[in-house]
Amino acid sequence: MKRPIFNSNKSPRVTFCGYSIPHPSEARVNIRVQTTGDPAREVLKDACQNLMLMCRNVRCTFDKAVEDFKASNAVKAMKIDSQDSSGDDSEESE
Amino acid sequence: MGQLPPHLELQRSRVSCNKDAPIHTESIQYSGAYASMGIDNSSRLDRFSNNFRVEVVRLNEDDMEFDMIGIDAAIANSFRRILIAELPTMAIEKVLIANNTSIIQDEVLAHRLGLVPIRVDPRLFLAIVENDQPNEKNTIVFKLHVQCKRGSPRITVKSDALKWLPNGSELVKETRNATSDSSSKPETYTYFCCSQETIPEFVKNPIIPKYPDIIIAKLGPGQEIELEAYAVKGIRKTHAKWSPVATAWYRMLPEVVLLEDIEDDLAEELKSKCPVNLFDIEDLGKGRRATVARPRACTLCRECIRGDDWEKRVALHRVKDHFIFTIESTGALPPEVLFTEAVKILEDKCERMITELS
């Protein structure tokens, strides 16, 4: 979770950002964000917001790609079927 | 906005795999890195959505392979980690053993039962909290009652012997209250208000272990196992039995570049070197030339750059933002659903951070 926030690093408002885990036994992460003038909290929030939007984009693209793949496979399967059954005109489109 | 000169573009977008070690492995994070050239390295959402692509290569019931192009390594890695460690699944947690005269010890038997993958959609259940009572919304009850009679040969108890009890536990709790009226229903170890069979998803697909032939125990003559197993929701961070994927991994797309024309004998030598048959020989009129036919199959064994001078002729790279993801599911959910759920979990985490920060 912390490493993807470092896409915020790519924003021109950020001069430095990093994280450290003080001790592996306790679940604590120190995040440091240094900006060029804007309040750091806002910049971090914007980075999280960006990450969320990116994730949604990833999900949409992925779902569409899976649907397209399934559709093209279904078409291929039907083509093989119609080649197997001689003289059968199966023209049903899903 | 100009273009980076080719050597810088190579540095920014490819990992060069040399004979001894790969170089340029980090992604250039700093937004002002190429400011002196006039190139804006900052990541913007519109540029991301334009460049990002997903191509599915293979999609079966239990595994899938797809390409994600245009995404950062950090995000791809977080998807992989969430897929492995933080997607909830159902697995057997508590085992109430009524009778076990087999040679498999109680705890070993319980451990083995926990590792059996169950074919059920974990999103239909709630996670059980500490002081919650097991009810039909957070527990699945299985029963195993096998007996090997004296005189019959040894039997193997396989996972298809686990029977789903949609009405909850059948083991009755012993109450100390001797005056309890016999008309009330006997108290069992679970508190099911209604049968799980009434939920529409389970009418068509009863809950069973995904693979019916997993060996749980072996019984000799005269031995018996009678137990009830309760499955609850959990994540793999707690214990590996709750893992939704057998494994999930990614690799970056390999790229093989021929730096100069390789002809005739050298071409034959190159083709024979590669263990996965990447190279093909093209027959030109006046000679034969080697071409890269299947770069995707490259395993980076570096055989093609072993030997003198081969490093000047062949260059191995990996494309930094093209990930070939493979997901193998254990059967609870199909792999494409698993990936979508993992992305949703990352979104939830971001939301939680945003609410905490405000």
Side-chain angles (χ1 to χ4, degrees), chain A residues 3-4 6-7 10-12 41 48-49 51-59 61-62 65 69-70, chain B residues 28-29 31 42-43 45 48-49 52 54 56 59 72 75 78 336 340 343-344 347 350-351 354 357:
Chain A
R3 280 236 58 213
F6 300 111
N7 287 313
K10 290 208 164 182
S11 143
R41 209 172 243 207
C48 288
Q49 193 75 10
L51 184 57
M52 239 171 66
L53 294 173
M54 263 204 266
C55 285
R56 274 199 206 135
N57 200 320
V58 167
R59 235 197 311 156
T61 324
F62 179 76
F69 182 79
K70 283 191 185 162
Chain B
I28 311 282
Q29 293 274 11
S31 61
S42 65
S43 104
L45 197 56
F48 173 77
S49 23
F52 180 63
V54 172
V56 181
L59 178 59
D72 196 34
I75 306 193
S78 23
E336 65 268 13
T340 323
V343 180
K344 272 193 219 163
E347 274 180 43
C350 292
E351 248 190 75
I354 295 180
L357 280 175

mmCIF file of all heavy atoms in Angstrom, chain A residues 3-4 6-7 10-12 41 48-49 51-59 61-62 65 69-70, chain B residues 28-29 31 42-43 45 48-49 52 54 56 59 72 75 78 336 340 343-344 347 350-351 354 357:
data_model
loop_
_atom_site.group_PDB
_atom_site.id
_atom_site.type_symbol
_atom_site.label_atom_id
_atom_site.label_comp_id
_atom_site.label_asym_id
_atom_site.label_seq_id
_atom_site.Cartn_x
_atom_site.Cartn_y
_atom_site.Cartn_z
ATOM 1 N N ARG A 3 4.029 1.590 -1.156
ATOM 2 C CA ARG A 3 4.792 1.848 -2.379
ATOM 3 C C ARG A 3 3.943 2.473 -3.478
ATOM 4 O O ARG A 3 4.402 3.356 -4.151
ATOM 5 C CB ARG A 3 5.476 0.571 -2.862
ATOM 6 C CG ARG A 3 6.740 0.280 -2.116
ATOM 7 C CD ARG A 3 7.933 0.136 -3.020
ATOM 8 N NE ARG A 3 8.171 1.309 -3.823
ATOM 9 C CZ ARG A 3 8.674 1.278 -5.037
ATOM 10 N NH1 ARG A 3 8.951 0.145 -5.602
ATOM 11 N NH2 ARG A 3 8.871 2.368 -5.694
ATOM 12 N N PRO A 4 2.684 2.049 -3.669
ATOM 13 C CA PRO A 4 1.927 2.741 -4.721
ATOM 14 C C PRO A 4 1.700 4.205 -4.418
ATOM 15 O O PRO A 4 1.495 4.981 -5.333
ATOM 16 C CB PRO A 4 0.591 2.011 -4.764
ATOM 17 C CG PRO A 4 0.824 0.747 -4.132
ATOM 18 C CD PRO A 4 1.996 0.875 -3.212
ATOM 19 N N PHE A 6 3.753 6.129 -3.702
ATOM 20 C CA PHE A 6 4.888 6.867 -4.212
ATOM 21 C C PHE A 6 4.765 7.248 -5.651
ATOM 22 O O PHE A 6 5.671 7.848 -6.210
ATOM 23 C CB PHE A 6 6.199 6.240 -3.781
ATOM 24 C CG PHE A 6 6.151 6.278 -2.319
ATOM 25 C CD1 PHE A 6 6.035 5.149 -1.613
ATOM 26 C CD2 PHE A 6 5.980 7.494 -1.702
ATOM 27 C CE1 PHE A 6 5.815 5.217 -0.246
ATOM 28 C CE2 PHE A 6 5.741 7.573 -0.348
ATOM 29 C CZ PHE A 6 5.674 6.434 0.377
ATOM 30 N N ASN A 7 3.602 6.962 -6.245
ATOM 31 C CA ASN A 7 3.298 7.665 -7.477
ATOM 32 C C ASN A 7 3.125 9.132 -7.200
ATOM 33 O O ASN A 7 3.216 9.948 -8.102
ATOM 34 C CB ASN A 7 2.021 7.127 -8.100
ATOM 35 C CG ASN A 7 2.279 5.791 -8.686
ATOM 36 O OD1 ASN A 7 3.249 5.604 -9.389
ATOM 37 N ND2 ASN A 7 1.432 4.849 -8.384
ATOM 38 N N LYS A 10 5.776 11.388 -8.305
ATOM 39 C CA LYS A 10 5.867 11.891 -9.660
ATOM 40 C C LYS A 10 5.163 13.230 -9.804
ATOM 41 O O LYS A 10 5.278 13.871 -10.826
ATOM 42 C CB LYS A 10 5.235 10.879 -10.617
ATOM 43 C CG LYS A 10 6.061 9.629 -10.758
ATOM 44 C CD LYS A 10 5.842 9.006 -12.101
ATOM 45 C CE LYS A 10 6.910 7.996 -12.413
ATOM 46 N NZ LYS A 10 6.717 7.433 -13.734
ATOM 47 N N SER A 11 4.381 13.607 -8.783
ATOM 48 C CA SER A 11 3.688 14.885 -8.907
ATOM 49 C C SER A 11 4.690 16.010 -8.735
ATOM 50 O O SER A 11 5.586 15.937 -7.892
ATOM 51 C CB SER A 11 2.598 14.952 -7.832
ATOM 52 O OG SER A 11 2.494 16.247 -7.330
ATOM 53 N N PRO A 12 4.607 17.080 -9.533
ATOM 54 C CA PRO A 12 5.618 18.143 -9.441
ATOM 55 C C PRO A 12 5.589 18.910 -8.126
ATOM 56 O O PRO A 12 6.459 19.707 -7.851
ATOM 57 C CB PRO A 12 5.293 19.061 -10.629
ATOM 58 C CG PRO A 12 3.929 18.695 -11.055
ATOM 59 C CD PRO A 12 3.686 17.290 -10.654
ATOM 60 N N ARG A 41 -0.440 17.367 3.888
ATOM 61 C CA ARG A 41 -1.587 16.491 4.069
ATOM 62 C C ARG A 41 -2.454 16.471 2.808
ATOM 63 O O ARG A 41 -2.943 15.422 2.392
ATOM 64 C CB ARG A 41 -2.407 17.038 5.229
ATOM 65 C CG ARG A 41 -3.161 16.000 5.971
ATOM 66 C CD ARG A 41 -3.755 16.579 7.164
ATOM 67 N NE ARG A 41 -3.194 15.939 8.328
ATOM 68 C CZ ARG A 41 -3.826 15.833 9.470
ATOM 69 N NH1 ARG A 41 -4.985 16.400 9.608
ATOM 70 N NH2 ARG A 41 -3.279 15.210 10.473
ATOM 71 N N CYS A 48 -3.610 9.710 -2.705
ATOM 72 C CA CYS A 48 -4.507 8.573 -2.460
ATOM 73 C C CYS A 48 -5.688 8.624 -3.423
ATOM 74 O O CYS A 48 -6.131 7.591 -3.951
ATOM 75 C CB CYS A 48 -5.041 8.611 -1.027
ATOM 76 S SG CYS A 48 -3.816 8.202 0.189
ATOM 77 N N GLN A 49 -6.199 9.835 -3.638
ATOM 78 C CA GLN A 49 -7.342 9.986 -4.548
ATOM 79 C C GLN A 49 -6.968 9.530 -5.947
ATOM 80 O O GLN A 49 -7.702 8.796 -6.609
ATOM 81 C CB GLN A 49 -7.726 11.469 -4.574
ATOM 82 C CG GLN A 49 -9.044 11.759 -5.198
ATOM 83 C CD GLN A 49 -10.187 11.365 -4.281
ATOM 84 O OE1 GLN A 49 -10.001 11.042 -3.113
ATOM 85 N NE2 GLN A 49 -11.369 11.345 -4.829
ATOM 86 N N LEU A 51 -4.637 7.458 -6.726
ATOM 87 C CA LEU A 51 -4.465 6.008 -6.731
ATOM 88 C C LEU A 51 -5.814 5.317 -6.855
ATOM 89 O O LEU A 51 -5.979 4.338 -7.592
ATOM 90 C CB LEU A 51 -3.749 5.571 -5.454
ATOM 91 C CG LEU A 51 -3.405 4.093 -5.342
ATOM 92 C CD1 LEU A 51 -2.569 3.682 -6.515
ATOM 93 C CD2 LEU A 51 -2.656 3.839 -4.057
ATOM 94 N N MET A 52 -6.819 5.860 -6.144
ATOM 95 C CA MET A 52 -8.150 5.266 -6.199
ATOM 96 C C MET A 52 -8.708 5.319 -7.609
ATOM 97 O O MET A 52 -9.282 4.350 -8.117
ATOM 98 C CB MET A 52 -9.092 6.019 -5.256
ATOM 99 C CG MET A 52 -9.674 5.129 -4.211
ATOM 100 S SD MET A 52 -10.561 5.974 -2.952
ATOM 101 C CE MET A 52 -11.925 6.651 -3.820
ATOM 102 N N LEU A 53 -8.535 6.511 -8.253
ATOM 103 C CA LEU A 53 -9.061 6.645 -9.606
ATOM 104 C C LEU A 53 -8.326 5.708 -10.565
ATOM 105 O O LEU A 53 -8.926 5.103 -11.455
ATOM 106 C CB LEU A 53 -8.927 8.092 -10.071
ATOM 107 C CG LEU A 53 -9.802 9.055 -9.271
ATOM 108 C CD1 LEU A 53 -9.503 10.488 -9.668
ATOM 109 C CD2 LEU A 53 -11.266 8.774 -9.508
ATOM 110 N N MET A 54 -7.018 5.567 -10.348
ATOM 111 C CA MET A 54 -6.251 4.656 -11.195
ATOM 112 C C MET A 54 -6.754 3.234 -11.045
ATOM 113 O O MET A 54 -6.896 2.500 -12.023
ATOM 114 C CB MET A 54 -4.758 4.700 -10.816
ATOM 115 C CG MET A 54 -3.958 5.595 -11.684
ATOM 116 S SD MET A 54 -2.243 5.135 -11.697
ATOM 117 C CE MET A 54 -1.617 6.161 -10.443
ATOM 118 N N CYS A 55 -7.052 2.849 -9.781
ATOM 119 C CA CYS A 55 -7.538 1.486 -9.544
ATOM 120 C C CYS A 55 -8.854 1.267 -10.255
ATOM 121 O O CYS A 55 -9.099 0.205 -10.843
ATOM 122 C CB CYS A 55 -7.752 1.242 -8.050
ATOM 123 S SG CYS A 55 -6.243 1.010 -7.168
ATOM 124 N N ARG A 56 -9.728 2.296 -10.211
ATOM 125 C CA ARG A 56 -11.032 2.122 -10.867
ATOM 126 C C ARG A 56 -10.843 1.941 -12.351
ATOM 127 O O ARG A 56 -11.466 1.107 -12.988
ATOM 128 C CB ARG A 56 -11.902 3.350 -10.615
ATOM 129 C CG ARG A 56 -12.591 3.201 -9.344
ATOM 130 C CD ARG A 56 -13.770 4.069 -9.160
ATOM 131 N NE ARG A 56 -13.877 4.214 -7.709
ATOM 132 C CZ ARG A 56 -14.085 5.339 -7.101
ATOM 133 N NH1 ARG A 56 -14.259 6.440 -7.778
ATOM 134 N NH2 ARG A 56 -14.124 5.380 -5.790
ATOM 135 N N ASN A 57 -9.921 2.745 -12.901
ATOM 136 C CA ASN A 57 -9.602 2.637 -14.317
ATOM 137 C C ASN A 57 -9.103 1.238 -14.651
ATOM 138 O O ASN A 57 -9.530 0.614 -15.636
ATOM 139 C CB ASN A 57 -8.517 3.667 -14.620
ATOM 140 C CG ASN A 57 -8.446 3.988 -16.079
ATOM 141 O OD1 ASN A 57 -8.583 3.082 -16.901
ATOM 142 N ND2 ASN A 57 -8.267 5.252 -16.397
ATOM 143 N N VAL A 58 -8.195 0.724 -13.801
ATOM 144 C CA VAL A 58 -7.649 -0.621 -14.012
ATOM 145 C C VAL A 58 -8.763 -1.637 -14.028
ATOM 146 O O VAL A 58 -8.839 -2.517 -14.883
ATOM 147 C CB VAL A 58 -6.619 -0.966 -12.909
ATOM 148 C CG1 VAL A 58 -6.287 -2.437 -12.931
ATOM 149 C CG2 VAL A 58 -5.373 -0.155 -13.070
ATOM 150 N N ARG A 59 -9.688 -1.496 -13.066
ATOM 151 C CA ARG A 59 -10.772 -2.459 -12.976
ATOM 152 C C ARG A 59 -11.641 -2.442 -14.221
ATOM 153 O O ARG A 59 -11.980 -3.496 -14.770
ATOM 154 C CB ARG A 59 -11.640 -2.132 -11.757
ATOM 155 C CG ARG A 59 -11.772 -3.303 -10.842
ATOM 156 C CD ARG A 59 -12.855 -3.249 -9.882
ATOM 157 N NE ARG A 59 -12.978 -2.053 -9.127
ATOM 158 C CZ ARG A 59 -14.118 -1.678 -8.580
ATOM 159 N NH1 ARG A 59 -15.181 -2.408 -8.722
ATOM 160 N NH2 ARG A 59 -14.178 -0.565 -7.901
ATOM 161 N N THR A 61 -10.900 -1.358 -17.282
ATOM 162 C CA THR A 61 -10.193 -1.881 -18.452
ATOM 163 C C THR A 61 -10.097 -3.393 -18.375
ATOM 164 O O THR A 61 -10.293 -4.098 -19.371
ATOM 165 C CB THR A 61 -8.777 -1.286 -18.509
ATOM 166 O OG1 THR A 61 -8.811 0.044 -18.046
ATOM 167 C CG2 THR A 61 -8.242 -1.324 -19.912
ATOM 168 N N PHE A 62 -9.807 -3.911 -17.170
ATOM 169 C CA PHE A 62 -9.663 -5.348 -17.022
ATOM 170 C C PHE A 62 -10.971 -6.064 -17.307
ATOM 171 O O PHE A 62 -11.006 -7.056 -18.039
ATOM 172 C CB PHE A 62 -9.185 -5.654 -15.603
ATOM 173 C CG PHE A 62 -9.028 -7.100 -15.320
ATOM 174 C CD1 PHE A 62 -7.939 -7.786 -15.812
ATOM 175 C CD2 PHE A 62 -9.971 -7.799 -14.579
ATOM 176 C CE1 PHE A 62 -7.788 -9.130 -15.562
ATOM 177 C CE2 PHE A 62 -9.823 -9.138 -14.330
ATOM 178 C CZ PHE A 62 -8.728 -9.808 -14.817
ATOM 179 N N ALA A 65 -11.631 -6.112 -20.956
ATOM 180 C CA ALA A 65 -10.742 -7.032 -21.678
ATOM 181 C C ALA A 65 -11.196 -8.472 -21.475
ATOM 182 O O ALA A 65 -11.185 -9.283 -22.419
ATOM 183 C CB ALA A 65 -9.303 -6.858 -21.200
ATOM 184 N N PHE A 69 -12.475 -10.996 -24.365
ATOM 185 C CA PHE A 69 -11.834 -12.289 -24.572
ATOM 186 C C PHE A 69 -12.854 -13.397 -24.567
ATOM 187 O O PHE A 69 -12.832 -14.306 -25.404
ATOM 188 C CB PHE A 69 -10.795 -12.501 -23.474
ATOM 189 C CG PHE A 69 -10.033 -13.771 -23.606
ATOM 190 C CD1 PHE A 69 -8.991 -13.861 -24.497
ATOM 191 C CD2 PHE A 69 -10.350 -14.875 -22.837
ATOM 192 C CE1 PHE A 69 -8.281 -15.029 -24.623
ATOM 193 C CE2 PHE A 69 -9.650 -16.047 -22.954
ATOM 194 C CZ PHE A 69 -8.610 -16.122 -23.851
ATOM 195 N N LYS A 70 -13.803 -13.324 -23.590
ATOM 196 C CA LYS A 70 -14.802 -14.394 -23.508
ATOM 197 C C LYS A 70 -15.682 -14.386 -24.750
ATOM 198 O O LYS A 70 -16.015 -15.443 -25.287
ATOM 199 C CB LYS A 70 -15.684 -14.173 -22.271
ATOM 200 C CG LYS A 70 -15.022 -14.575 -21.003
ATOM 201 C CD LYS A 70 -16.021 -14.583 -19.868
ATOM 202 C CE LYS A 70 -15.304 -14.861 -18.576
ATOM 203 N NZ LYS A 70 -16.053 -14.497 -17.409
ATOM 204 N N ILE B 28 12.182 5.603 -12.874
ATOM 205 C CA ILE B 28 12.566 6.984 -12.567
ATOM 206 C C ILE B 28 11.357 7.675 -11.981
ATOM 207 O O ILE B 28 10.395 7.984 -12.673
ATOM 208 C CB ILE B 28 13.017 7.710 -13.856
ATOM 209 C CG1 ILE B 28 14.013 6.854 -14.612
ATOM 210 C CG2 ILE B 28 13.592 9.050 -13.506
ATOM 211 C CD1 ILE B 28 15.382 6.857 -14.076
ATOM 212 N N GLN B 29 11.391 7.912 -10.676
ATOM 213 C CA GLN B 29 10.207 8.411 -10.004
ATOM 214 C C GLN B 29 10.113 9.919 -10.046
ATOM 215 O O GLN B 29 9.044 10.481 -10.049
ATOM 216 C CB GLN B 29 10.219 7.968 -8.529
ATOM 217 C CG GLN B 29 10.074 6.500 -8.359
ATOM 218 C CD GLN B 29 8.612 6.100 -8.352
ATOM 219 O OE1 GLN B 29 7.743 6.910 -8.681
ATOM 220 N NE2 GLN B 29 8.357 4.882 -7.999
ATOM 221 N N SER B 31 9.679 13.651 -10.675
ATOM 222 C CA SER B 31 8.940 14.272 -11.764
ATOM 223 C C SER B 31 9.808 15.218 -12.558
ATOM 224 O O SER B 31 9.572 15.441 -13.728
ATOM 225 C CB SER B 31 7.735 15.039 -11.215
ATOM 226 O OG SER B 31 8.195 16.052 -10.353
ATOM 227 N N SER B 42 6.103 13.656 -14.923
ATOM 228 C CA SER B 42 5.102 13.465 -13.873
ATOM 229 C C SER B 42 4.006 12.539 -14.381
ATOM 230 O O SER B 42 3.721 12.464 -15.559
ATOM 231 C CB SER B 42 4.498 14.805 -13.479
ATOM 232 O OG SER B 42 3.776 15.338 -14.568
ATOM 233 N N SER B 43 3.407 11.798 -13.445
ATOM 234 C CA SER B 43 2.376 10.844 -13.839
ATOM 235 C C SER B 43 1.036 11.539 -13.748
ATOM 236 O O SER B 43 0.689 12.116 -12.731
ATOM 237 C CB SER B 43 2.413 9.637 -12.920
ATOM 238 O OG SER B 43 1.363 9.690 -12.009
ATOM 239 N N LEU B 45 -3.236 11.354 -14.514
ATOM 240 C CA LEU B 45 -4.287 10.361 -14.642
ATOM 241 C C LEU B 45 -4.730 10.206 -16.091
ATOM 242 O O LEU B 45 -4.980 9.094 -16.551
ATOM 243 C CB LEU B 45 -5.470 10.766 -13.767
ATOM 244 C CG LEU B 45 -6.459 9.654 -13.488
ATOM 245 C CD1 LEU B 45 -5.748 8.481 -12.856
ATOM 246 C CD2 LEU B 45 -7.539 10.146 -12.569
ATOM 247 N N PHE B 48 -2.279 8.203 -17.960
ATOM 248 C CA PHE B 48 -2.371 6.807 -17.536
ATOM 249 C C PHE B 48 -3.536 6.125 -18.219
ATOM 250 O O PHE B 48 -3.410 5.033 -18.789
ATOM 251 C CB PHE B 48 -2.529 6.753 -16.020
ATOM 252 C CG PHE B 48 -2.803 5.374 -15.512
ATOM 253 C CD1 PHE B 48 -1.789 4.460 -15.411
ATOM 254 C CD2 PHE B 48 -4.085 4.993 -15.144
ATOM 255 C CE1 PHE B 48 -2.027 3.179 -14.951
ATOM 256 C CE2 PHE B 48 -4.334 3.719 -14.686
ATOM 257 C CZ PHE B 48 -3.310 2.815 -14.590
ATOM 258 N N SER B 49 -4.734 6.790 -18.196
ATOM 259 C CA SER B 49 -5.889 6.110 -18.774
ATOM 260 C C SER B 49 -5.767 5.959 -20.265
ATOM 261 O O SER B 49 -6.324 5.037 -20.848
ATOM 262 C CB SER B 49 -7.198 6.811 -18.403
ATOM 263 O OG SER B 49 -6.976 8.132 -18.070
ATOM 264 N N PHE B 52 -2.976 2.920 -20.659
ATOM 265 C CA PHE B 52 -3.120 1.647 -19.973
ATOM 266 C C PHE B 52 -3.946 0.677 -20.797
ATOM 267 O O PHE B 52 -5.002 1.023 -21.308
ATOM 268 C CB PHE B 52 -3.786 1.897 -18.624
ATOM 269 C CG PHE B 52 -3.989 0.654 -17.837
ATOM 270 C CD1 PHE B 52 -2.903 -0.093 -17.424
ATOM 271 C CD2 PHE B 52 -5.254 0.216 -17.513
ATOM 272 C CE1 PHE B 52 -3.078 -1.249 -16.700
ATOM 273 C CE2 PHE B 52 -5.437 -0.935 -16.779
ATOM 274 C CZ PHE B 52 -4.352 -1.666 -16.383
ATOM 275 N N VAL B 54 -5.116 -3.719 -21.134
ATOM 276 C CA VAL B 54 -5.087 -5.078 -20.590
ATOM 277 C C VAL B 54 -5.405 -6.015 -21.734
ATOM 278 O O VAL B 54 -6.360 -5.796 -22.462
ATOM 279 C CB VAL B 54 -6.132 -5.265 -19.477
ATOM 280 C CG1 VAL B 54 -6.210 -6.716 -19.067
ATOM 281 C CG2 VAL B 54 -5.788 -4.429 -18.272
ATOM 282 N N VAL B 56 -5.982 -10.141 -22.423
ATOM 283 C CA VAL B 56 -6.079 -11.464 -21.808
ATOM 284 C C VAL B 56 -5.525 -12.487 -22.787
ATOM 285 O O VAL B 56 -5.914 -12.532 -23.939
ATOM 286 C CB VAL B 56 -7.541 -11.801 -21.466
ATOM 287 C CG1 VAL B 56 -7.624 -13.147 -20.802
ATOM 288 C CG2 VAL B 56 -8.110 -10.732 -20.559
ATOM 289 N N LEU B 59 -7.661 -17.803 -20.417
ATOM 290 C CA LEU B 59 -8.633 -17.700 -19.323
ATOM 291 C C LEU B 59 -9.332 -19.030 -19.187
ATOM 292 O O LEU B 59 -10.122 -19.416 -20.033
ATOM 293 C CB LEU B 59 -9.637 -16.583 -19.622
ATOM 294 C CG LEU B 59 -10.745 -16.361 -18.617
ATOM 295 C CD1 LEU B 59 -10.175 -16.039 -17.278
ATOM 296 C CD2 LEU B 59 -11.620 -15.216 -19.071
ATOM 297 N N ASP B 72 2.623 1.006 -13.377
ATOM 298 C CA ASP B 72 3.862 1.093 -12.631
ATOM 299 C C ASP B 72 4.115 -0.213 -11.883
ATOM 300 O O ASP B 72 3.188 -0.897 -11.470
ATOM 301 C CB ASP B 72 3.730 2.239 -11.625
ATOM 302 C CG ASP B 72 5.069 2.645 -11.087
ATOM 303 O OD1 ASP B 72 6.047 2.573 -11.849
ATOM 304 O OD2 ASP B 72 5.130 3.008 -9.913
ATOM 305 N N ILE B 75 2.414 -0.622 -8.381
ATOM 306 C CA ILE B 75 0.988 -0.969 -8.334
ATOM 307 C C ILE B 75 0.784 -2.431 -8.712
ATOM 308 O O ILE B 75 -0.013 -3.144 -8.082
ATOM 309 C CB ILE B 75 0.192 -0.045 -9.266
ATOM 310 C CG1 ILE B 75 0.496 1.392 -8.912
ATOM 311 C CG2 ILE B 75 -1.276 -0.327 -9.142
ATOM 312 C CD1 ILE B 75 -0.434 2.357 -9.526
ATOM 313 N N SER B 78 1.555 -4.411 -5.749
ATOM 314 C CA SER B 78 0.553 -4.402 -4.683
ATOM 315 C C SER B 78 -0.644 -5.260 -5.042
ATOM 316 O O SER B 78 -1.217 -5.906 -4.161
ATOM 317 C CB SER B 78 0.081 -3.005 -4.312
ATOM 318 O OG SER B 78 0.277 -2.114 -5.314
ATOM 319 N N GLU B 336 -10.601 -14.197 -12.730
ATOM 320 C CA GLU B 336 -10.835 -12.799 -13.101
ATOM 321 C C GLU B 336 -11.569 -12.066 -11.981
ATOM 322 O O GLU B 336 -11.338 -10.888 -11.729
ATOM 323 C CB GLU B 336 -11.611 -12.696 -14.415
ATOM 324 C CG GLU B 336 -13.018 -13.227 -14.399
ATOM 325 C CD GLU B 336 -13.078 -14.673 -14.807
ATOM 326 O OE1 GLU B 336 -12.020 -15.312 -14.860
ATOM 327 O OE2 GLU B 336 -14.194 -15.172 -15.041
ATOM 328 N N THR B 340 -10.360 -8.623 -9.779
ATOM 329 C CA THR B 340 -11.232 -7.471 -9.559
ATOM 330 C C THR B 340 -11.392 -7.196 -8.070
ATOM 331 O O THR B 340 -11.365 -6.043 -7.621
ATOM 332 C CB THR B 340 -12.611 -7.725 -10.182
ATOM 333 O OG1 THR B 340 -12.441 -8.442 -11.387
ATOM 334 C CG2 THR B 340 -13.315 -6.438 -10.464
ATOM 335 N N VAL B 343 -8.297 -5.440 -6.696
ATOM 336 C CA VAL B 343 -8.269 -4.007 -7.009
ATOM 337 C C VAL B 343 -9.226 -3.259 -6.094
ATOM 338 O O VAL B 343 -8.943 -2.174 -5.596
ATOM 339 C CB VAL B 343 -8.624 -3.771 -8.487
ATOM 340 C CG1 VAL B 343 -8.592 -2.308 -8.810
ATOM 341 C CG2 VAL B 343 -7.665 -4.513 -9.375
ATOM 342 N N LYS B 344 -10.392 -3.896 -5.827
ATOM 343 C CA LYS B 344 -11.356 -3.242 -4.935
ATOM 344 C C LYS B 344 -10.774 -3.058 -3.545
ATOM 345 O O LYS B 344 -11.005 -2.048 -2.884
ATOM 346 C CB LYS B 344 -12.621 -4.104 -4.820
ATOM 347 C CG LYS B 344 -13.634 -3.836 -5.867
ATOM 348 C CD LYS B 344 -14.956 -4.486 -5.504
ATOM 349 C CE LYS B 344 -15.602 -5.056 -6.741
ATOM 350 N NZ LYS B 344 -16.643 -5.997 -6.499
ATOM 351 N N GLU B 347 -8.559 -0.113 -3.477
ATOM 352 C CA GLU B 347 -9.366 1.110 -3.441
ATOM 353 C C GLU B 347 -9.896 1.381 -2.043
ATOM 354 O O GLU B 347 -9.915 2.522 -1.585
ATOM 355 C CB GLU B 347 -10.567 0.962 -4.370
ATOM 356 C CG GLU B 347 -10.294 1.316 -5.791
ATOM 357 C CD GLU B 347 -11.545 1.124 -6.620
ATOM 358 O OE1 GLU B 347 -12.624 1.515 -6.157
ATOM 359 O OE2 GLU B 347 -11.416 0.578 -7.728
ATOM 360 N N CYS B 350 -7.254 2.897 0.087
ATOM 361 C CA CYS B 350 -7.047 4.319 -0.204
ATOM 362 C C CYS B 350 -8.136 5.153 0.450
ATOM 363 O O CYS B 350 -7.866 6.199 1.047
ATOM 364 C CB CYS B 350 -7.114 4.573 -1.709
ATOM 365 S SG CYS B 350 -5.784 3.890 -2.611
ATOM 366 N N GLU B 351 -9.369 4.657 0.353
ATOM 367 C CA GLU B 351 -10.478 5.424 0.933
ATOM 368 C C GLU B 351 -10.305 5.581 2.419
ATOM 369 O O GLU B 351 -10.542 6.645 2.992
ATOM 370 C CB GLU B 351 -11.781 4.675 0.666
ATOM 371 C CG GLU B 351 -12.677 5.387 -0.300
ATOM 372 C CD GLU B 351 -14.034 4.732 -0.350
ATOM 373 O OE1 GLU B 351 -14.789 4.939 0.614
ATOM 374 O OE2 GLU B 351 -14.289 4.025 -1.320
ATOM 375 N N ILE B 354 -7.814 8.167 3.131
ATOM 376 C CA ILE B 354 -8.326 9.518 2.903
ATOM 377 C C ILE B 354 -9.205 9.951 4.063
ATOM 378 O O ILE B 354 -9.105 11.078 4.546
ATOM 379 C CB ILE B 354 -9.095 9.584 1.573
ATOM 380 C CG1 ILE B 354 -8.135 9.336 0.419
ATOM 381 C CG2 ILE B 354 -9.762 10.923 1.408
ATOM 382 C CD1 ILE B 354 -8.794 9.375 -0.918
ATOM 383 N N LEU B 357 -7.082 10.808 6.999
ATOM 384 C CA LEU B 357 -6.305 12.030 6.873
ATOM 385 C C LEU B 357 -7.156 13.280 7.033
ATOM 386 O O LEU B 357 -6.655 14.319 7.428
ATOM 387 C CB LEU B 357 -5.626 12.078 5.499
ATOM 388 C CG LEU B 357 -4.351 11.262 5.349
ATOM 389 C CD1 LEU B 357 -3.885 11.326 3.915
ATOM 390 C CD2 LEU B 357 -3.273 11.805 6.248
#
